[in-house]
Amino acid sequence: MMNNKFLNPLLIVVIVFMVSLIILVNVQIFNGVKEGSYIGKGYEFQNIISFSGEGEVYVKPDMGLVTLSVVNEDKDVSSATEENTKRVNNIILFLKNNNVEEKDIKTTDFSISPRYDYLDSGKRVLAGYQINQSVEVKIRDIGNVGTILEGAVTAGANQVGSINFVVDDSEEYEKEARALAIADAKQKAYELSEQLGVTLVEIVNFSEGGNYPIYDYDEYSEKRVVGMGMLESSVPDIQVGENTIRSSVSISYSIK
């Protein structure tokens, strides 16, 4: 027969375990009842209406971007590279002497391509090498664009890419365009809510679809460059025009 002094502690452990189990079961039942009270309740539906708005700001550009290139060929790759480098260096020297800073001159392309001739027999033979080197130039003195182009061609450029006139710091104009777009959307919301006989409660969503400049371009391509870098005319008359900075927004309201 088991001694009573061992029985009592064992009985206490069993009792504590049973009480803990009962408490745990009751908690689970309570939580289940609580969760069950939400069954069948759907998502609270909101009546929402959305409006779009547009805003535009017109700005005169203050900087020109242009790509100047030197393309040349030679049977010997070293000679072709040497000639190309000499002409590009002359262009860069001219730019620096005309107040274009080094930070505003960036090489964007340098390539060496073999050139082949095809004989009547169909055989391909190496004819030489073509070197293409391009630099992108920021012209901050926008009134000097024509002079820069004419001088760059004289210095050795034989291809001039399309000119892109930009606003160097457009952040404030973008904010202004956004404010106009928001005002446009809110005005539409007010007018339409009056016509529909509904009340605007609060803004529940906002998105901005576009806040971007529309650039003016001037087509100044290689067809205006003849011979070994001579212009058909002297300094070209470059028209800057205006850029459009546009913003598009969408505002959604809850209504009642």
Side-chain angles (χ1 to χ4, degrees):
M1 184 174 181
M2 187 177 294
N3 196 315
N4 285 338
K5 72 177 181 178
F6 294 107
L7 180 61
N8 291 338
L10 180 60
L11 182 60
I12 292 173
V13 170
V14 172
I15 292 173
V16 170
F17 173 76
M18 293 300 295
V19 170
S20 300
L21 183 61
I22 292 170
I23 293 173
L24 179 62
V25 171
N26 286 334
V27 169
Q28 293 293 332
I29 292 173
F30 175 78
N31 288 337
V33 171
K34 185 178 179 181
E35 291 177 3
S37 65
Y38 292 99
I39 296 175
K41 289 190 176 181
Y43 175 76
E44 185 177 351
F45 180 76
Q46 272 189 313
N47 291 315
I48 295 175
I49 190 168
S50 299
F51 304 90
S52 62
E54 299 285 340
E56 291 185 349
V57 177
Y58 301 96
V59 187
K60 186 173 182 177
D62 56 12
M63 184 171 68
L65 299 177
V66 64
T67 299
L68 305 171
S69 301
V70 175
V71 180
N72 64 294
E73 294 185 18
D74 197 287
K75 291 183 178 181
D76 179 67
V77 66
S78 297
S79 298
T81 304
E82 182 180 354
E83 173 64 19
N84 187 282
T85 301
K86 178 181 176 181
R87 290 166 64 177
V88 170
N89 288 344
N90 285 341
I91 295 168
I92 293 174
L93 180 62
F94 163 78
L95 294 172
K96 290 181 177 180
N97 288 338
N98 282 268
N99 301 317
V100 178
E101 298 183 32
E102 185 173 349
K103 67 177 183 178
D104 293 332
I105 305 170
K106 180 174 69 174
T107 299
T108 56
D109 180 56
F110 180 84
S111 62
I112 301 175
S113 304
R115 307 292 291 177
Y116 295 96
D117 287 336
Y118 291 86
L119 305 179
D120 293 338
S121 62
K123 182 180 179 180
R124 185 180 73 170
V125 295
L126 181 65
Y129 296 88
Q130 182 184 81
I131 313 296
N132 187 334
Q133 186 170 182
S134 301
V135 292
E136 182 184 74
V137 183
K138 294 180 180 179
I139 306 173
R140 298 184 185 275
D141 182 2
I142 205 163
N144 202 31
V145 170
T147 300
I148 292 292
L149 294 180
E150 190 272 340
V153 171
T154 301
N158 54 11
Q159 289 189 9
V160 179
S162 298
I163 302 172
N164 182 8
F165 292 110
V166 302
V167 178
D168 188 26
D169 186 3
S170 61
E171 184 176 355
E172 289 302 316
Y173 301 110
E174 291 170 0
K175 290 180 180 179
E176 185 178 347
R178 183 187 300 113
L180 291 173
I182 291 173
D184 181 42
K186 286 185 174 181
Q187 180 63 27
K188 290 178 181 177
Y190 172 77
E191 292 175 355
L192 192 56
S193 65
E194 289 287 313
Q195 295 170 2
L196 295 176
V198 298
T199 301
L200 302 175
V201 179
E202 62 179 352
I203 295 175
V204 296
N205 188 48
F206 171 84
S207 63
E208 187 172 12
N211 195 328
Y212 50 88
I214 301 174
Y215 298 128
D216 278 345
Y217 295 89
D218 184 76
E219 188 64 27
Y220 190 84
S221 61
E222 59 182 297
K223 66 183 179 182
R224 296 195 186 181
V225 183
V226 296
M228 290 299 292
M230 298 300 294
L231 288 174
E232 294 176 356
S233 61
S234 57
V235 178
D237 183 16
I238 304 298
Q239 301 299 313
V240 176
E242 284 187 336
N243 285 4
T244 304
I245 296 179
R246 179 175 296 158
S247 178
S248 174
V249 303
S250 176
I251 301 177
S252 298
Y253 290 85
S254 60
I255 60 174
K256 64 179 181 179

